[in-house]
Amino acid sequence: MIVISVTNAPSQLRGYLTRYLSEIQAGLFVGCCSARVRDALWKRVQDDLPEHGKAILVHNDGNEQGYRVDYWNFPNK
């Protein structure tokens, strides 16, 4: 399962994410997909998000918590 949260995202990016994930609230996407698709979606977010936009990706991982959090365009992260 993955969760992607985006702020100040263009409508084209939000539309693209809804092809693979459900937008349960404006800018909040949830779904299940393979690691390959997850990485491709995250790359697309990084490429298409404007300078003032921010994004967070939460996904399953093999660490003690069981998940990982990745940030995009957050200072000090």
Side-chain angles (χ1 to χ4, degrees):
M1 181 172 180
I2 70 168
V3 177
I4 297 178
S5 175
V6 293
T7 57
N8 297 324
S11 59
Q12 299 90 333
L13 175 59
R14 289 177 57 190
Y16 179 78
L17 291 172
T18 59
R19 293 180 190 174
Y20 302 93
L21 306 171
S22 297
E23 188 172 18
I24 60 172
Q25 187 177 349
L28 184 61
F29 300 87
V30 177
C32 293
C33 59
S34 68
R36 186 176 190 175
V37 171
R38 177 198 69 217
D39 293 344
L41 290 173
W42 189 235
K43 175 78 168 109
R44 179 77 178 254
V45 167
Q46 293 172 342
D47 290 345
D48 291 358
L49 203 60
E51 241 179 70
H52 58 279
K54 295 179 179 162
I56 298 172
L57 167 66
V58 182
H59 61 90
N60 297 335
D61 199 15
N63 60 22
E64 292 177 5
Q65 291 83 17
Y67 64 91
R68 177 179 168 164
V69 181
D70 295 318
Y71 301 91
W72 183 252
N73 275 354
F74 279 80
N76 302 323
K77 290 285 180 190

